[in-house]
Structures are given as structure tokens and as C-alpha cells.
Amino acid sequence: MSTASTETSLPSPAATVRVIASPQSWVEGEAVRQLEAVARLPGMKAAVGLPDLHPGKGAPVGAAFTSEGLFYPYLVGNDIGCGMGLWDVGMLARKAKAERWASKLEVEGPWNGDVEGFLAEEGVKPSGFEGALGTVGGGNHFAELQRVDAVHDARAFAELGLEADRLLLLVHSGSRGLGEAILRAHVDRHAAGGLVAGSDEARAYLTRHDHAVAWARANRALVARRVLDGIGAPARRVLDVCHNSVTPRREDGALRWLHRKGAAPADEGPVVIPGSRGALSYLVAPVGDGTGSAYSLAHGAGRKWTRTAARERIKERFTAESLTRTSFKSHVVCENKDLLFEEAPQAYKAIDRVVTDLVEAGLVKVVATLAPVLTYKTRSHEE
DNA sequence: ATGTAC
């Protein structure tokens, strides 16, 4: 097996550090240093880097951490509940009007429907951030209409109720200002410090965290609804998974805390691992018991260049206009030019390698590959 | 990542 994993035992507390990535899947040294630093935190049991591991603000992204006795809100980060939702669209892919949709589709600002009613249907309480419910957000968030490129596991594909000739909609978004407010309130008191499990403060954080996770899921559902209203098609939610969270988990007879920071769950059924907007996305099914990977998977391709580097390098070689089409002939709606350059496919690692690493590590099987048809980022010119 | 930091 070409997948290399390194096990490092550290002096007390002995947390396991493991990076699941082949030598072909280049991981920045800084990301591994951040992973090792997290492993030295009090109570930490395991720190696992997935093949999309890359440096973050203090803690790395593309990683999962388990701890005992206390947990760390800053490891979850500001976008509590961020994740991926996939919808099966009731329209044949060959009927897609990508060019027309690219010119008229608009998912910006507060939704003018019954927001409270929508939240009630989703079983979620209002948060005070409802003006942002149903908005994509910035950074690497998107809503993308996709077609099925190839089915690799016909049975698993059919079990999801999917058909190869139909359009799909993938939404990557989170809890917008809500998660940010929750993290800020915590950091104001505790900085990067953890919370003692079972304490009043831990309980209060987890209540707010769980609400943000549910609200983020509802946010993805409303983004999907607005896109589907825009193209005039019905849809069914196929899956929705969160890749930024902390959850309790019984392991080795103890109560542990599983932090996921840009790590998809390996214990909730199939997930989509998106490439960049100019690459395939992978619908995969977890394999194995997850114990060696902290029950987690890669959540995307992972950034190769920083946003600043991407802006500089890609501006030299491409016009903004040329970046609104991809090698798949798909369309990109992104009227913020800086964001268009920052999120260019060239700024990301190759998703194929990331997924191959997961397959070779015995963590997933590929169900299908999905190709972009239309990627929606923003119509806003704000920088 | 963020109705964006001071």
C-alpha cells in the first residue's frame, strides 16, 4: 500500500498523531506542525490529519481530534455546522440551461419568503441571524449544479435513489454570523483554552453549538430551495453532513470529544467530497470502523496556495472573464473578482489524489463522480 | 470563515 501514515508518541499526555496522506499528496510542513501542537493540548487523545490537511488559523484544517475530560471550541472554529448538502434535482442533466441560469440566477441577501415558517419546518429555532439564512457566504462556500460523470458502484448509487441522467445540487455553506458570534463569546473569556466537560460553561457552549449545527443545515436547505426556485425544478435532499463540529462519543469505555475541523463524518453514510469548481466531486461511501481515522474523512481538495498567493499568481495568467468557464465547460457565477481568483481551480490540490489516498487507506469506496455544470458563488461586487 | 478589525 502506498499510503504512508506516521505514528508519533509524545510525552505525557500521550496523544497519537497520524497523517493519512500518501507521499504524492503533498502536505505543508506547517500543517503537520499545527497538528502536533494540537496533540500536545491537555486531554488530547488523538490528532488525525486527512489527505486534505492544510494550515489554518492556529489549528490545521482537514483534521479530526479526540479528547477526554475537556474539549476545545477554537478547534471547531467560527463556522460551526459548516458542511455539505446534496440534492437530487427533478430535471434531466441534458435539459440544464447553464448559460441562461448563469446570467439570471440570484441568491443574495435576505430571503423574502416565510423564514420563521421555513425554520419551523426544519425543526430549528430562530437565532437572530435570519437575515443571512439561505445565503451562501464567502470563502470556499458555493452552490453547484452537477451532472453525474460516472457511476462506480451502481448498487450504492441506486440505494441513494439516484439516477445517472439527473441533475444534482451540492451546497457548501455554514452558520454564517451565528457560529462566529458563538466562538467570539467563548474566545473573549477563554481564548484558545478548553472547557471542562460537564461544566455549566461546557453545557452552555454545546447548546449553542448544537443549535448552530442545526441552523447551518437549515441554511443549506434554504440555499438549495432558492437555487431550485430559480431554475424551476423540484428536489429531494439525499444527504447533509457537517464537517466543523464537536460531538461526544463513547470510545474505549470513556466519554470522548470528537472535534472535526474540515473533516467529513465517516459514520453517517455516504458523503460528497468536492473538488474545486473546475474538478470532479466524489460521492463516496465510508468503509471500515473508522477507529484509525477518528471516524472522519477528507472534506475537500484542500488549498494549495494561500488566498493572497492565488490572487497574485492567477491574475498574471488568467482574465476574470476566462475564469467564469471551466475545463468542464461549466459556468461560474462570481462577480467578486478577488474571490474569483482566490477560488480558481489552480489554487487547490488535485481532488483525485485526495480521494485515492482515502481509498488506499481503506477508508472509502467511490460511488460516483460528479461534474460541475454551474457553480454559484456570489453576484455581489463587494470586496 | 465573518451583517468582517479599531
Side-chain angles (χ1 to χ4, degrees):
Chain A
M1 186 166 71
S2 64
T3 300
S5 63
T6 52
E7 301 262 354
T8 312
S9 283
L10 294 155
S12 67
T16 307
V17 179
R18 184 177 185 209
V19 178
I20 300 171
S22 68
Q24 297 100 307
S25 207
W26 174 78
V27 172
E28 274 181 72
E30 176 59 16
V32 177
R33 280 190 289 278
Q34 289 183 345
L35 193 74
E36 289 166 343
V38 170
R40 286 191 288 271
L41 292 172
M44 205 54 68
K45 293 293 173 189
V48 176
L50 287 310
D52 59 335
L53 183 71
H54 58 282
K57 202 178 159 188
V61 183
F65 314 99
T66 55
S67 62
E68 213 173 286
L70 62 174
F71 64 83
Y72 295 86
Y74 97 95
L75 293 181
V76 178
N78 64 308
D79 199 359
I80 302 164
C82 187
M84 300 278 172
L86 181 69
W87 279 261
D88 177 11
V89 181
M91 186 187 287
L92 294 173
R94 62 181 164 79
K95 300 274 188 188
K97 301 280 183 277
E99 189 163 12
R100 187 194 304 170
W101 296 339
S103 66
K104 73 159 202 198
L105 188 63
E106 186 158 339
V107 184
E108 302 294 329
W111 186 47
N112 58 18
D114 177 10
V115 179
E116 311 269 317
F118 183 88
L119 276 179
E121 277 172 36
E122 292 280 318
V124 180
K125 286 182 189 158
S127 69
F129 290 83
E130 276 63 44
L133 193 78
T135 59
V136 173
N140 57 2
H141 289 174
F142 62 81
E144 186 171 275
L145 286 157
Q146 303 176 330
R147 60 179 170 81
V148 177
D149 167 66
V151 176
H152 293 257
D153 185 324
R155 186 173 166 180
F157 189 76
E159 275 172 8
L160 289 167
L162 298 174
E163 301 208 17
D165 56 0
R166 271 206 302 263
L167 272 181
L168 294 164
L169 172 62
L170 183 68
V171 177
H172 176 204
S173 188
S175 56
R176 312 292 278 105
L178 173 59
E180 167 74 16
I182 295 169
L183 179 67
R184 198 179 326 114
H186 168 79
V187 166
D188 284 349
R189 280 181 70 97
H190 302 275
L195 293 173
V196 175
S199 67
D200 288 347
E201 280 191 289
R203 262 193 285 270
Y205 171 82
L206 289 172
T207 298
R208 302 185 79 192
H209 163 283
D210 292 353
H211 180 217
V213 168
W215 195 92
R217 181 181 161 97
N219 181 43
R220 289 186 287 278
L222 187 52
V223 168
R225 165 127 178 221
R226 294 175 86 176
V227 171
L228 294 159
D229 285 350
I231 70 171
R236 169 184 66 91
R237 180 159 50 195
V238 177
L239 62 89
D240 188 284
V241 294
C242 165
H243 53 228
N244 288 348
S245 66
V246 57
T247 48
R249 184 178 192 101
R250 193 150 281 285
E251 188 183 47
D252 296 345
L255 179 65
R256 291 187 174 167
W257 297 91
L258 173 55
H259 308 69
R260 291 191 174 111
K261 177 57 174 174
D267 54 0
E268 295 178 22
V271 304
V272 177
I273 304 178
S276 68
R277 68 194 184 212
L280 295 175
S281 291
Y282 283 73
L283 175 61
V284 303
V287 172
D289 65 4
T291 50
S293 60
Y295 320 96
S296 300
L297 303 171
H299 81 312
R303 203 163 250 296
K304 184 172 69 183
W305 297 341
T306 64
R307 291 183 177 278
T308 310
R311 272 200 306 274
E312 290 169 355
R313 294 162 121 153
I314 295 166
K315 255 177 194 162
E316 286 173 9
R317 292 159 51 193
F318 300 93
T319 63
E321 170 65 20
S322 72
L323 292 174
T324 63
R325 300 301 302 275
T326 74
S327 61
F328 286 87
K329 310 290 179 203
S330 65
H331 293 253
V332 178
V333 176
C334 184
E335 294 185 11
N336 175 334
K337 282 189 184 173
D338 277 345
L339 189 59
L340 187 66
F341 290 115
E342 291 167 11
E343 291 290 313
Q346 295 81 0
Y348 283 87
K349 288 191 253 190
I351 186 62
D352 321 60
R353 190 63 243 176
V354 168
V355 172
T356 298
D357 281 4
L358 293 176
V359 171
E360 290 181 352
L363 299 179
V364 301
K365 63 176 179 178
V366 175
V367 177
T369 47
L370 315 174
V373 170
L374 169 66
T375 308
Y376 186 96
K377 298 285 287 180
T378 182
R379 285 240 180 256
S380 164
H381 293 72
E382 279 175 45
E383 321 252 302

